[in-house]
Amino acid sequence: MDSMGMRRDAIVQLINEKGTVSFSQIKQEFPNVSEMTLRTDLKLLDEAKRILRVHGGAKSVQVIIGTDDFLNRKSVRNIPEKQKIAEKALTLLHPDTTIFLDSGSTATVLARQIPDQSYLIYTTGLSCATELANLSKPAVMLPGGKLNRYSQSVFGYSAIKELERVNFDQAFLGVTGFHPSVGFSCGINDEAFLKQAAIRQAEQVIVLMDSSKIDIKCSFSFCGLSDVDIVVSDGKLPEEFLSECQRYGVQVL
């Protein structure tokens, strides 16, 4: 295989591993390749249906559009980063408080490490609930709703109405992407509505986000930096994002 073929295979592998990547991430991985060449690579890979080009980057064709990716695929990506995020998020927990814990792979890692103390935890993630079932002291609530078989979560009108009855001390939210022009976003409209309900009901809003989500623009926005109190990340966030957080008074861990 020639170098061009090897490079394109490497691009596909990168996108499949990450699920969604921004063009700036691709440039970082291939610093010796011109921007024009990389854009041509993406165009031809898209035409060959090996990837899906999206605004500002590319998405794996293994990701089912509109499902926010399979949880079992996300759970094997960026494992050290998710572990670091979970460890930082644990420092924010306080016993005898009411918590919303979002669905997703990062939230699941956090659920696995929550100490056996007195909390009231609402979660829409089946995998989170499974991890929390190992604890005896927290009261764990799963709101009723429609099952998303791909992300192993519940969502929809019933789940939203149940969350609207609860006053949360903290809401820990997962995100699929952040882009300056659209804020925090995800791939399912009903998931966005559910996240917005949790934000409205929470005294403190905490976003769990590794740096690979930066510059990713998904279909449905659910909040901006002005709606967030804390961003918990892997320590690799770009300076531009950190400056925006400072401008909006958002704490970054």
Side-chain angles (χ1 to χ4, degrees):
M1 183 182 296
D2 60 19
S3 59
M4 180 181 68
M6 293 174 63
R7 183 182 68 247
R8 290 178 181 172
D9 283 349
I11 291 172
V12 173
Q13 183 178 347
L14 171 69
I15 295 169
N16 285 341
E17 287 175 353
K18 298 289 187 181
T20 306
V21 298
S22 65
F23 187 70
S24 61
Q25 288 176 292
I26 296 172
K27 286 196 295 183
Q28 288 176 5
E29 290 292 326
F30 301 92
N32 298 322
V33 182
S34 72
E35 187 171 311
M36 181 178 296
T37 298
L38 288 174
R39 292 191 186 280
T40 300
D41 287 342
L42 293 179
K43 178 177 181 293
L44 294 175
L45 289 170
D46 178 78
E47 290 174 354
K49 302 190 184 305
R50 296 184 65 191
I51 63 163
L52 176 67
R53 280 205 302 171
V54 296
H55 183 83
K59 182 179 286 190
S60 170
V61 293
Q62 296 176 4
V63 175
I64 306 299
I65 297 173
T67 65
D68 252 4
D69 204 353
F70 291 104
L71 180 67
N72 59 357
R73 287 177 182 161
K74 292 197 292 185
S75 64
V76 297
R77 298 178 190 138
N78 305 323
I79 294 174
E81 289 81 359
K82 291 170 184 173
Q83 184 70 30
K84 186 177 293 185
I85 290 169
E87 290 171 358
K88 292 179 180 179
L90 283 175
T91 66
L92 300 173
L93 293 176
H94 303 283
D96 301 311
T97 55
T98 303
I99 297 165
F100 173 76
L101 180 60
D102 206 353
S103 61
S105 55
T106 305
T108 303
V109 176
L110 173 57
R112 192 175 300 140
Q113 298 187 37
I114 289 178
D116 196 5
Q117 296 178 342
S118 176
Y119 305 100
L120 174 56
I121 304 176
Y122 279 75
T123 183
T124 51
L126 302 187
S127 56
C128 293
T130 300
E131 295 292 345
L132 295 168
N134 296 313
L135 306 178
S136 60
K137 294 181 180 179
V140 181
M141 306 294 291
L142 267 169
K146 184 178 179 181
L147 174 65
N148 183 330
R149 293 178 176 83
Y150 303 99
S151 62
Q152 298 179 29
S153 63
V154 293
F155 64 98
Y157 179 79
S158 298
I160 290 171
K161 294 305 290 184
E162 188 165 347
L163 293 185
E164 287 177 340
R165 298 188 299 106
V166 187
N167 299 314
F168 297 107
D169 294 294
Q170 294 174 310
F172 292 85
L173 299 176
V175 307
T176 309
F178 175 86
H179 193 279
S181 65
V182 302
F184 297 99
S185 60
C186 62
I188 306 174
N189 197 23
D190 284 342
E191 291 274 10
F193 285 135
L194 189 145
K195 292 176 193 287
Q196 287 173 336
I199 289 169
R200 288 193 300 270
Q201 298 300 115
E203 184 72 24
Q204 185 181 59
V205 178
I206 301 160
V207 166
L208 309 174
M209 182 181 73
D210 67 73
S211 53
S212 71
K213 307 293 177 64
I214 296 294
D215 288 336
I216 300 299
K217 184 187 293 186
C218 298
S219 302
F220 303 100
S221 300
F222 58 87
C223 76
L225 277 171
S226 60
D227 304 300
V228 172
D229 297 295
I230 301 174
V231 171
V232 185
S233 192
D234 52 10
K236 302 175 185 177
L237 294 171
E239 285 299 325
E240 296 85 353
F241 179 80
L242 294 174
S243 297
E244 282 297 290
C245 288
Q246 188 174 21
R247 186 161 76 92
Y248 283 97
V250 177
Q251 181 183 357
V252 179
L253 295 182

